[in-house]
Amino acid sequence: MVERTDSGAATAAKAGVSRWAWERPGRWVRGRVIAVLALLTALLLAFPGVVPNRPGHLGSLLEAFLPWLGLAVVPLLAAALLRRSATALVSLCLPVAAWAYAFGGLFLAAPEPGERDLVVVQHNVSDVNTDPAGTARILAGAGPDLIALEELVPAALPAYEKALAPDFRFHEVRGTVGIWSKHPLSGTQAVDIKPKGIAEGWSRGLRTVVHTPHGEVAAYVAHLPSIRVGAGGLASSWRDESAHLLGRAVAAETVAKVIVLGDLNSTVDDRGLSPLVSQLNVPERGFAFSFPASFPLARIDQVLARSATVGRIRTLPATGSDHLPITARVTLS
């Protein structure tokens, strides 16, 4: 009886090549499923708009948490190592590169402070905040020129006014939003961003002109309607409608320089905010995840500008709110 052998393996063994090296070509075949998943992750990071917004506003839901999609690389890397798949390992370069292209710039160093800078603070103070005076002290401690607040309830307003009065001579409140400023304000008015279907009396927008040493700036403070995530996806129709109304007001603004501060209830990547965000410059540095304060997952509190640059954005220490305050340096053009 003649024993059959694998002539290729025998030849390799005679040549002193290890079994691992002989099997190496197979490593390029294994892990094709992992490679496909890596490619899909890269495509979603680079082109989230391919996900339709119907049904359930799934596109907006993806965009609201887009930076976290990069974590998909971790289980894919573990699976690639377990499979000892070269194909899978190489394919993981794609989502890593896509994430770095989309968000890597946020880690770069911010420009040095300049003479034409305004420091601004944005905070949803929460209508159930039990320490408004303490919250005001934290916000004022950042040394801002402007402070924008949302969810100002009548019972807490006097505490904010008293605590902020020593450093901020000028302030205006309309409905449940307000602004405190070191510079004079004029032309303050409510901005109607109320979607159809919300009861009368709902007032969450204001516009004022800030008279800075470097010229006039139109400042908008807004609190867009909340969104809800459920079994049917993302419920954001009211938020989207409100963003459209705010975007229309900003587009009609005659003052060249504009700063928008507010709780917009989503991130700047969310297509639901595009009627507003598409007109404005977004922060160039920093993530500043602001909500929820106990475990921040997204920055839904925003500082945006027209004819101005928003530099590094960062969070401030926690207050009695379920949001973290954010601060940014805005350079006027």
Side-chain angles (χ1 to χ4, degrees):
M1 179 175 182
V2 179
E3 183 179 357
R4 300 181 62 185
T5 62
D6 187 328
S7 60
T11 302
K14 290 178 182 179
V17 181
S18 68
R19 177 177 176 82
W20 171 259
W22 173 253
E23 292 184 346
R24 189 167 298 173
R27 293 159 58 209
W28 295 97
V29 178
R30 295 196 301 268
R32 284 175 292 184
V33 173
I34 300 171
V36 170
L37 293 175
L39 176 60
L40 178 61
T41 301
L43 289 174
L44 291 177
L45 283 165
F47 308 104
V50 300
V51 179
N53 231 18
R54 291 287 188 273
H57 293 89
L58 295 181
S60 285
L61 183 61
L62 170 66
E63 291 157 345
F65 299 100
L66 193 59
W68 295 101
L69 183 59
L71 290 179
V73 171
V74 176
L76 292 176
L77 175 60
L81 292 174
L82 286 173
R83 291 285 293 161
R84 297 200 298 183
S85 168
T87 299
L89 287 172
V90 171
S91 69
L92 291 178
C93 294
L94 296 174
V96 171
W99 194 95
Y101 178 79
F103 304 109
L106 299 177
F107 291 102
L108 298 177
E112 293 296 322
E115 294 182 355
R116 299 180 65 83
D117 288 355
L118 288 179
V119 177
V120 301
V121 164
Q122 149 61 28
H123 191 31
N124 179 328
V125 295
S126 174
D127 55 4
V128 294
N129 190 330
T130 59
D131 185 20
T135 296
R137 285 193 294 271
I138 290 175
L139 304 181
D145 297 280
L146 300 175
I147 296 177
L149 303 182
E150 299 83 47
E151 292 199 13
L152 286 169
V153 294
L157 181 57
Y160 289 109
E161 292 174 328
K162 180 179 179 180
L164 295 173
D167 297 315
F168 301 89
R169 293 176 52 200
F170 311 96
H171 83 278
E172 295 284 354
V173 176
R174 296 292 185 275
T176 58
V177 300
I179 187 169
W180 275 255
S181 173
K182 290 182 177 180
H183 310 296
L185 305 173
S186 69
T188 307
Q189 60 190 35
V191 178
D192 184 9
I193 57 171
K194 183 179 74 68
K196 297 176 182 178
I198 293 182
E200 292 298 326
W202 189 97
S203 179
R204 292 187 178 184
L206 73 76
R207 177 262 189 195
T208 192
V209 176
V210 186
H211 298 271
T212 79
H214 311 294
E216 294 183 347
V217 178
Y220 286 76
V221 183
H223 183 191
L224 303 191
S226 300
I227 60 176
R228 295 289 183 268
V229 179
L234 186 71
S236 64
S237 296
W238 277 353
R239 193 277 317 275
D240 295 351
E241 183 180 350
S242 191
H244 175 77
L245 294 171
L246 181 58
R248 189 165 64 184
V250 170
E253 177 58 59
T254 56
V255 176
K257 298 179 179 65
V258 175
I259 299 176
V260 176
L261 307 115
D263 174 3
L264 304 188
N265 267 305
S266 196
T267 69
V268 294
D269 298 305
D270 185 343
R271 72 190 70 175
L273 299 184
S274 61
L276 173 66
V277 175
S278 61
Q279 307 179 52
L280 303 167
N281 297 322
V282 303
E284 296 181 341
R285 303 288 185 267
F287 281 94
F289 292 161
S290 63
F291 184 83
S294 57
F295 189 79
L297 294 172
R299 185 180 77 245
I300 65 175
D301 297 272
Q302 305 296 347
V303 177
L304 310 169
R306 186 178 78 190
S307 297
T309 301
V310 185
R312 180 172 296 279
I313 191 167
R314 62 182 179 89
T315 57
L316 296 175
T319 67
S321 171
D322 54 345
H323 292 240
L324 292 177
I326 63 170
T327 182
R329 190 175 294 272
V330 179
T331 302
L332 303 178
S333 301

